[in-house]
Structure formats: C-alpha cells, structure tokens
Amino acid sequence: MNLSKILLCVLAFFYVVACGDEDNTVKKNHSTTTVASVEHEHEHEHEHEHEHGDVVDVIDLSSVADPPAVSVAATPDGEGGVMLVVELENFELVPLETKSGNQPRQGHLHVELDGATVAMISENHYHLSNLVNGHHEIAVSLSAIDHRNYYLDGKPISDSVMVMIEGGEEASGPDISFQVEIVEGKVKGGLSRFEVSKGDSVEVIVHSDQIDEVHLHVYDKMKKVEPGVPAIIRLDATIPGIFEAELHSAGFRIFELQVS
Ligand SMILES: [Cu+2]
C-alpha cells in the first residue's frame, strides 16, 4: 500500500466513527426498546474494538452454571415518580465504589428510562422521580463491577416494564434532544457533532462515570455531572456556529453543537 491509500483508509475509518452520531439523537417522548438500544451500544463498542483492539464490550455468562437472572416490578407513586423493586437470582450487589475484581455473579444494576441509562444502583429498590407524564419503559440490567453488561446467549441480562406516569411534569420537551455517554475517559461511540436549526430548543444529556463539569462554550452553560446523575444542558439555539463542549477537569471535548 502506498501512503495515499493508507491515508484514505484512516480517513474512511474516522468517517465511520464520526457518523455513528445518529444513534445518539433521541427525540423526546420517543421510546426505543431496550434490546434495540443495547444493540446500538454494541455496534458503537465494536468500533472501539477496532480502535483499541483489546476492549471487550460485554461479559457473556452463557458458559457459567446457574447464571444470574433479574426481574423488575414498578409501582407509580402518582406524583411523577415510580418505585422499582428488583428481584435477583444468583447475583450479589456490590457497592459502586468497588474498583476491581469482576466475578460472574457480582456487580450492580443499570436503570434505563426509555432506552437511556439514568442510574446505577447497588440496592434492589430505587425511586425514579420527576418523570414526564405518559408511558415510559423502564429496564434494569445486570452490570459487572467495571460497568460492562452481563449477557446470556447474546442478549443482555435485563428485565423491563412499561409504566404510565401521572402527576408529573407535563410533556413539553425540547425540539431536539441528544445523549452523550462518557465511559472511562472516552466518549462512547466517538465524538459527535449535533446539528440543530437556529431557533430550536435543544437539550443535551451527558452521562459520565466520573464526577466532573460539562462546559458548553459561547453559550456558556456549565453543569455538574456525576455517576448516575446526568448533566442536562438546555438552551435556545440563538447563536449560529459550531460550539465545543468539554469536560472541565478531564479537559477533553465531549461533543460539538452546530447551529445553522
Ligand atoms: Cu455501571
């Protein structure tokens, strides 16, 4: 291969990674099924695999005797919230602070609301609050200590329920909403440029496994983020241009916003 061919290949690869951003676009009130969203993540992480070679994205427990199982029950509280009670089999919850030593039957739970992870918990009950009225899908999946999802026969070990929320916020969401997930110092799926039109009301939800601060330049939005508590940035796209958002302490770019 000559140099220009190599360059082309490199460019093609980054094009593929950069174009993965479509999946991060979530229109408010549009619920995707858990399986679909996990498969999307799966695709992204395969791209990572090409990049780093040694990244394994899930832990498949198909070869383990008596693999763990999960089921979830949800009871709306009538005030815009819902109580989740999780039943586990062959699975021990360990504190989120645990840093190492994955065991096939140990870990914590990831709680997903309409396809987006909203909390990580190491208890078998959890109260989700401040939901928008209407139908929501809530899923609970088993995660290893290092946050990789446990799989069985090629599917995540998870359970989901549909709930009808009343007494919460009325659904008057933004025109467009995006999700960013930071895992172990990297933007999951690669850096995305979110394109919106001038005048749109925009929401960007940033999840991170580390405590930090999200800063969107020029619009000058600053929001704290911590594991399980996403930073939600809302703005009216009045200034045209391309703007960078970074994680303040970590000091790297996490998304770009293009207003045109
Ligand atoms: Cu986790």
Side-chain angles (χ1 to χ4, degrees), residues 159-171:
D159 189 30
S160 66
V161 283
M162 291 295 299
V163 291
M164 173 67 189
I165 295 297
E166 288 171 320
E169 286 176 47
E170 279 310 316

Side-chain angles (χ1 to χ4, degrees), residues 96 108-110 120 143-144 147:
L96 290 172
H108 57 270
L109 307 172
H110 287 181
M120 298 195 290
S143 164
H147 305 290

Side-chain angles (χ1 to χ4, degrees), residues 9 30 68 74 86 144 148 154 157 163 172 184 186 204 212 219 233-234 248 251 257 259:
C9 289
H30 173 84
V86 180
R148 284 184 286 171
I157 304 177
V163 291
S172 66
E184 289 171 1
K186 291 196 187 73
V204 183
D212 210 320
Y219 281 87
I233 293 174
R234 293 199 176 95
H248 224 74
L257 178 71
V259 181

Side-chain angles (χ1 to χ4, degrees), residues 80-93:
V82 60
M83 189 68 205
L84 304 178
V85 177
V86 180
E87 267 187 56
L88 297 165
E89 264 174 62
N90 304 325
F91 196 72
E92 185 197 349
L93 294 168

